[in-house]
Amino acid sequence: MLKPINAEIDFEYKCEKCGGSNWITKQETISRKLKCYCGHINTVIPIKYVKITYNCFNNQKILNKQSVQKAINILRGVGYLKSTAETMVLKIAQTNSSLTTDKLVKQAIKEEVK
Ligand SMILES: [Zn+2]
């Protein structure tokens, strides 16, 4: 599975004078200045980086999405953070895609305690 090596994303800004919409790239934010088509020069906060979050559920072959989601919910219910619960369950589900919710939870906790 490929991951992008580069991206071109435009950011929309609303001119503080005329309310008009202006689009600039991340690179263009570095100058801190955004000249609107009305002539007003707006000050923008430079963007350092954009974080990409991959959708693991669509990218990986997980046969039992429902069990995975239920297992994540159970772990969250006992106090694990969402991101931690997802990492724990997906790690197990990737190697054993046919596990039931119960087994996913047990295995995930077992791995966490190791
Ligand atoms: Zn303007």
Side-chain angles (χ1 to χ4, degrees):
M1 275 179 285
L2 290 177
K3 288 181 178 178
I5 57 164
N6 205 347
E8 200 174 281
I9 305 164
D10 288 338
F11 300 93
E12 184 180 18
Y13 293 89
K14 192 175 175 181
C15 174
E16 55 190 9
K17 191 181 175 195
C18 74
S21 160
N22 294 271
W23 293 83
I24 57 172
T25 63
K26 175 174 151 288
Q27 194 61 32
E28 288 172 309
T29 66
I30 292 166
S31 72
R32 295 175 188 263
K33 286 182 172 62
L34 166 59
K35 192 178 181 190
C36 178
Y37 47 81
C38 77
H40 182 72
I41 294 171
N42 297 274
T43 307
V44 299
I45 303 169
I47 294 170
K48 197 173 176 185
Y49 67 88
V50 177
K51 189 182 170 191
I52 297 175
T53 305
Y54 292 101
N55 187 344
C56 297
F57 291 106
N58 288 342
N59 293 342
Q60 292 155 0
K61 281 187 181 171
I62 293 167
L63 300 174
N64 52 348
K65 285 182 192 173
Q66 271 193 329
S67 299
V68 168
Q69 194 52 58
K70 279 183 194 166
I72 290 169
N73 290 343
I74 290 169
L75 289 174
R76 289 183 68 190
V78 295
Y80 284 102
L81 291 173
K82 187 178 181 233
S83 58
T84 309
E86 282 174 356
T87 308
M88 287 165 71
V89 174
L90 289 172
K91 196 172 145 192
I92 303 302
Q94 279 162 19
T95 50
N96 290 300
S97 59
S98 59
L99 288 178
T100 59
T101 303
D102 282 5
K103 283 181 180 167
L104 275 172
V105 172
K106 284 177 194 163
Q107 287 275 50
I109 292 171
K110 214 187 250 180
E111 282 293 312
E112 180 74 0
V113 176
K114 262 185 192 170

